[in-house]
C-alpha cells in the first residue's frame, strides 16, 4: 500500500504514498457498511435517530469519492499530505456519525480505529501521531457529547457509566497498540521486501557476470584451434617464402595479429570460467575466485584446506553456482572491511559435509546485535565506528543478509559468532574477531565425482 525509501542512515522509512484507487475502494466499503447500519437501525430496529443528518454524513463521503474519481485518474499516487487530509476527513465523518448515534454507547465507535491503523501502515510517524491524537480527542469528546439512542416510545438506550468508561479505555489502548503494531509490522515487511529486492539484484548481477564470463571463455576455447592453425600455416609459409621479402612482412603481420588475438582472448577469459568445461570446479578454486576482488585491499587473506579423509584425499569438485560465489564473496568482503590486518578462510570437508569459516581479527560483532546478524538493515558492527579506519564504509547489514539468503538457497546453514566465545583452532589467540560459518551437506554442493569426468561435447549455443 505504501512505498518505501531507505534513509541516509539505512533505516527503511514509509514515504506516505498511496494509490487513490485504494482509498476510494476502502471508502466505498465504509459507505456501504454505514448505509446498511443506518437502514437496520432506523427501519428494522425502529430506533429514533436523526436520519437526515446521518444521510448527510454518508452523502458527504459519496460526493468526495465521486469528485476524486472525476478529477483524478484512479492509479494516481497520493502524497503524504493528501493521504493525511483524506484520513482526517474519514475520521471526522465517522466521528460525526457516532456522535449522531449514541456516542460510545454505539458499538460501531470501535471503527474509529480504522483510519489510525491505515495511517500507521502508510504514513510517517509524525502524521500517525497527529491522527492518533485527534482520534483520542474525538473519542473522549464522544463520551460526553452525543445524541442519545432512543426507541420509538422514547426509551433511552444507554450503557452503565462503568461500561462506557471501559469502552473508552479500550479504544484509547487500541489506538496506541494498533498504531505501534501496524507500523512495526509494515516497517519489517517493507524492510524485508527491499532487502529481498537487493538480493535478487545482486544475484542477477552475479548471474550476468557469470554468463558473460562463460561466453568469453567459450569463445577463447572455440577460437583457440583456428588461431593455432593460422599461426602454424603462416609459419610454414614464412619458411617457404624466405626469399620473398615483399611477402615476409605480410606473413609476419599475420602471425603477430594471431598472437594478439590469442592474448586478448586469454586476458578476457580470466573474467569468466563458466563454459561447459568448468560448470564445476575444485572447492579451492571457487573460494579463491570469490575472494579475488578483496585480496588486494591491504589485508592479508589466508586460505587453509583440511579434511578427515586422509592426506591423499583429493580436493572435491563443487558446482560453481552464482549464489555460492556471491555469498562467500560478501562474507569475505565484510571480514576485510572490519579486519585489523588479517582474514582467514578455513575450509574443511568430509564425506557428508563441507564447512567454510571466514574469520577476521577485527572487533567482532556487537554482543547486543549478535542474534540479529543476517537480518536486513542491521547497521553497526561495533558500538562506535572508528572514523580512522571505517570512514569510507557505512553498512546497512544488507551484505550479510544477501550472503545469508543466497547461501541458504543452495542448502547451506549460515551462523555468525565471535572468536573469543566459540572458536578454538590453530592460532586461536589472534582470531578473536567475527566468525561467519557456512555449512553444506556434501550432496547439495558437489559437482562431478572424482574420476568420473569425461568429454563434455561442444559448447552449447546461447538461446535468447
Amino acid at each position: 500500500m505504501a512505498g518505501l525509501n531507505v534513509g541516509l542512515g539505512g533505516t527503511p522509512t514509509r514515504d506516505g504514498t498511496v494509490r487513490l484507487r485504494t482509498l476510494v475502494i476502502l471508502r466505498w466499503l465504509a459507505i456501504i457498511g454505514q448505509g446498511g447500519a443506518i437502514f437496520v437501525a432506523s427501519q428494522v430496529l425502529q430506533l429514533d435517530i436523526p436520519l437526515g443528518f446521518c444521510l448527510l454524513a454518508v452523502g458527504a463521503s459519496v460526493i468526495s469519492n465521486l469528485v476524486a474519481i472525476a478529477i483524478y485518474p484512479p492509479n494516481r499516487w497520493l502524497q503524504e499530505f493528501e493521504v493525511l487530509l483524506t484520513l482526517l476527513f474519514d475520521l471526522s465523518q465517522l466521528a460525526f456519525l457516532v456522535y449522531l448515534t449514541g456516542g460510545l454507547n454505539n458499538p460501531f465507535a470501535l471503527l474509529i480505529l480504522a483510519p489510525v491503523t491505515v495511517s500507521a501502515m502508510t504514513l510517517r510517524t509524525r502524521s500517525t501521531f497527529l491522527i492518533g491524537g485527534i482520534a483520542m480527542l474525538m473519542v473522549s469528546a464522544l463520551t460526553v457529547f452525543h445524541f442519545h439512542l432512543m426507541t420509538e416510545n422514547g426509551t433511552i438506550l444507554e450503557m452503565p457509566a462503568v461500561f462506557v468508561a471501559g469502552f473508552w479505555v479500550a479504544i484509547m489502548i487500541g489506538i496506541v497498540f494498533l498504531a505501534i503494531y501496524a507500523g512495526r509490522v509494515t516497517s519489517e515487511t517493507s524492510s524485508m521486501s527491499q532487502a529481498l529486492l537487493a538480493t535478487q539484484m545482486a544475484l542477477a548481477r552475479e548471474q550476468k557476470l557469470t554468463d558473460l564470463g562463460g561466453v568469453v571463455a567459450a569463445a577463447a576455447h572455440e577460437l583457440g584451434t583456428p588461431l593455432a592453425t593460422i599461426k602454424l600455416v603462416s609459419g610454414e609459409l614464412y619458411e617457404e617464402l624466405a626469399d620473398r621479402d615483399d611477402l615476409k612482412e605480410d606473413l609476419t603481420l599475420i602471425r603477430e595479429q594471431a598472437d594478439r588475438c590469442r592474448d586478448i582472448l586469454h586476458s578476457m577469459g580470466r573474467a569468466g570460467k563458466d563454459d561447459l568445461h568448468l560448470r564445476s570446479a575444485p572447492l579451492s578454486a571457487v573460494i579463491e575466485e570469490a575472494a579475488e576482488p578483496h585480496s588486494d585491499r591491504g589485508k592479508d587473506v589466508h586460505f587453509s584446506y583440511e579434511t578427515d579423509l586422509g592426506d591423499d584425499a583429493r580436493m572435491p569438485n563443487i558446482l560453481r553456482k552464482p549464489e555460492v560465489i556471491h555469498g562467500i564473496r560478501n562474507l569475505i568482503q565484510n571480514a576485510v572491511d572490519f579486519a585489523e590486518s588479517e582474514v582467514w578462510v578455513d575450509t574443511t570437508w568430509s564425506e557428508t559435509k563441507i564447512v567454510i569459516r571466514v574469520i577476521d581479527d577485527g572487533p567482532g560483532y556487537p554482543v547486543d546485535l549478535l542474534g540479529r546478524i543476517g537480518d536486513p538493515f542491521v547497521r553497526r558492527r561495533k558500538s562506535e565506528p572508528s572514523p580512522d579506519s571505517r570512514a569510507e564504509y557505512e553498512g546497512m547489514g544488507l551484505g550479510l543478509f544477501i550472503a545469508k539468503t543466497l547461501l541458504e538457497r543452495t542448502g547451506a546453514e549460515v551462523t555468525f559468532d565471535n572468536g573469543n566465545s566459540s572458536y578454538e583452532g590453530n592460532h586461536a589467540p589472534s582470531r578473536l574477531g567475527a566468525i561467519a560459518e557456512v555449512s553444506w551437506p556434501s550432496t547439495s554442493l558437489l559437482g562431478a565425482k572424482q574420476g568420473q569426468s569425461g568429454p563434455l561435447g561442444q559448447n552449447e549455443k546461447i538461446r535468447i
Side-chain angles (χ1 to χ4, degrees), residues 69-347:
I69 294 173
I71 296 177
Y72 302 109
N75 59 349
R76 181 176 185 269
W77 289 88
L78 301 178
Q79 297 304 311
E80 179 170 11
F81 183 69
E82 297 172 314
V83 178
L84 178 62
L85 291 180
T86 302
L87 293 178
L88 285 176
F89 172 83
D90 292 337
L91 180 62
S92 302
Q93 187 260 1
L94 182 58
F96 182 63
L97 275 177
V98 174
Y99 166 77
L100 295 173
T101 54
L104 294 192
N105 295 286
N106 183 348
F108 288 101
L110 187 66
L111 294 177
I112 290 178
L113 296 173
V116 180
T117 305
V118 174
S119 173
M121 296 176 64
T122 59
L123 303 181
R124 291 183 173 90
T125 304
R126 61 185 180 184
S127 299
T128 302
F129 278 152
L130 176 60
I131 290 184
I134 293 175
M136 288 182 172
L137 291 176
M138 289 181 174
V139 172
S140 299
L142 288 171
T143 60
V144 180
F145 305 104
H146 57 268
F147 279 84
H148 294 292
L149 278 176
M150 292 188 297
T151 61
E152 284 186 324
N153 57 15
T155 303
I156 296 177
L157 302 178
E158 194 171 54
M159 292 189 300
V162 64
F163 283 95
V164 173
F167 195 24
W168 176 84
V169 172
I171 294 178
M172 294 293 107
I173 295 175
I175 289 174
V176 175
F177 175 77
L178 284 179
I180 296 175
Y181 180 81
R184 182 67 178 174
V185 170
T186 302
S187 177
E188 291 287 339
T189 303
S190 301
S191 299
M192 187 62 67
S193 298
Q194 287 291 305
L196 289 175
L197 177 61
T199 303
Q200 292 171 355
M201 293 173 63
L203 181 58
R205 178 178 177 273
E206 188 68 30
Q207 185 66 58
K208 288 180 179 178
L209 292 175
T210 302
D211 292 342
L212 179 61
V215 173
V216 174
H221 175 72
E222 297 289 347
L223 295 176
T225 300
L227 284 175
T229 302
I230 292 173
K231 186 176 179 181
L232 177 62
V233 173
S234 63
E236 293 178 352
L237 290 174
Y238 185 86
E239 294 177 359
E240 293 180 4
L241 302 175
D243 55 344
R244 297 285 303 273
D245 294 336
D246 56 332
L247 297 179
K248 285 176 60 177
E249 184 177 349
D250 293 337
L251 291 172
T252 301
L253 180 61
I254 291 175
R255 296 181 63 184
E256 290 175 352
Q257 294 304 309
D259 289 336
R260 185 184 177 192
C261 290
R262 180 199 60 195
D263 294 339
I264 291 174
L265 288 172
H266 180 68
S267 63
M268 292 175 64
R270 294 174 183 172
K273 304 175 181 178
D274 196 32
D275 64 352
L276 284 178
H277 294 273
L278 287 174
R279 289 286 175 86
S280 62
L283 177 61
S284 58
V286 174
I287 294 174
E288 291 171 21
E289 177 187 352
E292 184 178 0
H294 308 290
S295 60
D296 57 352
R297 293 180 52 197
K299 310 293 174 63
D300 295 328
V301 182
H302 308 282
F303 301 92
S304 68
Y305 305 95
E306 297 180 1
T307 181
D308 58 3
L309 300 179
D311 296 337
D312 57 346
R314 296 179 58 185
M315 182 75 64
N317 284 340
I318 66 170
L319 297 174
R320 291 188 63 258
K321 296 181 178 180
E323 297 95 328
V324 173
I325 296 174
H326 194 84
I328 295 175
R329 180 172 296 159
N330 275 14
L331 295 180
I332 295 175
Q333 176 184 352
N334 185 76
V336 171
D337 284 335
F338 291 94
E340 295 294 337
S341 60
E342 294 183 286
V343 174
W344 297 269
V345 183
D346 297 341
T347 305

Side-chain angles (χ1 to χ4, degrees), residues 383-462:
S383 299
E384 296 181 359
S386 170
D388 300 331
S389 58
R390 302 290 183 264
E392 77 288 352
Y393 182 82
E394 182 178 4
M396 295 185 295
L398 278 180
L400 292 178
F401 171 80
I402 290 173
K404 186 173 184 290
T405 303
L406 292 179
L407 292 170
E408 287 178 346
R409 286 181 56 174
T410 66
E413 179 181 352
V414 184
T415 57
F416 302 93
D417 209 335
N418 288 325
N420 55 352
S421 62
S422 67
Y423 183 75
E424 296 181 1
N426 297 332
H427 313 293
S430 63
R431 302 188 182 194
L432 301 181
I435 298 176
E437 180 175 296
V438 189
S439 175
W440 289 273
S442 297
T443 54
S444 65
L445 202 61
L446 290 181
K449 293 184 179 180
Q450 303 291 350
Q452 293 188 3
S453 59
L456 297 178
Q458 296 182 353
N459 290 317
E460 299 175 354
K461 293 182 179 180
I462 296 180

